[in-house]
Amino acid sequence: MKNTWSQLLFDFYSQLRCPELPAGNECMNPYLESECIVVVKEFLEKHFNDTNERIVLFGINPGRFGAGQTGIPFTDPVALENDLLISNVFDKRTELSSEFIYKCINAFGGPAVFYSKFLISSVYPLGFLKDGKNLNYYELPNAAEFISKSIVKELQKHLAWPIHRRLAFCIGQGENFKVLSHLNKTHQWFDQIRPLPHPRWVMQYRRKQVDQYVNDYVKALSTPFAT
């Protein structure tokens, strides 16, 4: 009998450990905290208790107000409680990226529908800080080495899951897409990777057009299922 998504993902998160980083950089691993493990387990059992094939959306890496706390990609404590209906003890502070993603999830049909078809993951599953602020993996001083070793290692683990290999989405049209596309060209994980605008960029610089970007996301995500 195949392992369910919930088992596969829980095992994946549970084994994560922070890598060694250059001085002045920190790593966040919420999966070592009991408060995080409780909500992650509830989320996975609720939405991933099956073996169905899913399409992956790859973000950059977790931020300190979202998955850096909750352990669920692009999910801040407010979305965790209000959208996923999972009570939690985290400080109810919102994250812009989470706010946008859940607008898209709800426009797609809600969490139950969305998560039955998609997995939101990250190019690297743990977040980084420098001077208390979020740091993207490609901003690390040793980024090239880190990408070629640690990131490839974690991305390869996705291939053991029932993922859709013909198509994946990249959350971010800039450096994240550049890195992921280069790695995919080398390793041939997916037939195609399609970029989507990064939620934080939308919320910061295109706030008046948020509804249009939500519609664009839903249209792009619906394309693989069009008849």
Side-chain angles (χ1 to χ4, degrees):
M1 183 177 178
K2 294 181 180 179
N3 287 332
T4 63
W5 272 103
S6 60
Q7 293 170 314
L8 292 168
L9 292 173
F10 189 79
D11 289 347
F12 173 72
Y13 294 139
S14 298
Q15 58 83 38
L16 289 172
R17 296 294 182 269
C18 283
E20 292 186 13
L21 298 174
N25 301 276
E26 301 175 60
C27 169
M28 297 178 285
N29 187 350
Y31 305 106
L32 298 178
E33 306 297 330
S34 59
E35 295 86 353
C36 173
I37 288 296
V38 167
V39 299
V40 167
K41 192 169 185 178
E42 184 174 347
F43 167 72
L44 294 177
E45 290 177 351
K46 188 174 184 179
H47 293 291
F48 288 86
N49 196 24
D50 59 63
T51 59
N52 301 334
E53 187 178 80
R54 284 173 170 81
I55 296 174
V56 186
L57 289 77
F58 288 103
I60 301 172
N61 48 258
R64 68 192 190 280
F65 297 129
Q69 288 188 80
T70 67
I72 302 171
F74 285 95
T75 304
D76 63 28
V78 175
L80 184 62
E81 191 150 296
N82 295 343
D83 297 286
L84 297 179
L85 305 181
I86 297 177
S87 60
N88 60 88
V89 299
F90 304 117
D91 181 25
K92 300 304 183 290
R93 180 168 181 171
T94 59
E95 181 190 58
L96 287 177
S97 293
S98 177
E99 185 180 341
F100 177 81
I101 285 293
Y102 277 89
K103 286 180 183 291
C104 295
I105 288 174
N106 289 322
F108 191 83
V113 174
F114 177 84
Y115 286 115
S116 71
K117 299 177 183 295
F118 297 99
L119 167 71
I120 303 181
S121 188
S122 303
V123 170
Y124 193 74
L126 298 178
F128 305 111
L129 299 172
K130 184 176 178 62
D131 300 324
K133 296 182 179 180
N134 288 331
L135 188 70
N136 298 322
Y137 68 82
Y138 48 75
E139 297 173 315
L140 290 168
N142 62 336
E145 180 184 6
F146 186 76
I147 289 168
S148 66
K149 293 183 179 178
S150 298
I151 283 182
V152 168
K153 178 182 176 182
E154 297 303 333
L155 285 175
Q156 292 278 20
K157 293 176 183 177
H158 288 65
L159 304 186
W161 308 339
I163 58 173
H164 189 94
R165 297 287 294 277
R166 295 176 296 282
L167 172 69
F169 289 95
C170 178
I171 300 177
Q173 297 173 310
E175 193 66 21
N176 196 42
F177 180 57
K178 179 181 177 181
V179 170
L180 190 56
S181 295
H182 175 74
L183 292 176
N184 189 58
K185 185 176 181 180
T186 301
H187 299 279
Q188 299 183 336
W189 294 317
F190 303 96
D191 293 346
Q192 180 187 9
I193 297 178
R194 293 183 59 186
L196 296 167
H198 197 278
R200 175 167 284 278
W201 178 83
V202 173
M203 297 296 279
Q204 281 189 319
Y205 302 110
R206 297 293 186 272
R207 190 100 190 202
K208 291 182 179 180
Q209 291 85 44
V210 165
D211 289 345
Q212 181 58 54
Y213 280 97
V214 169
N215 290 336
D216 291 345
Y217 253 71
V218 172
K219 183 179 179 179
L221 296 176
S222 300
T223 301
F225 307 103
T227 56

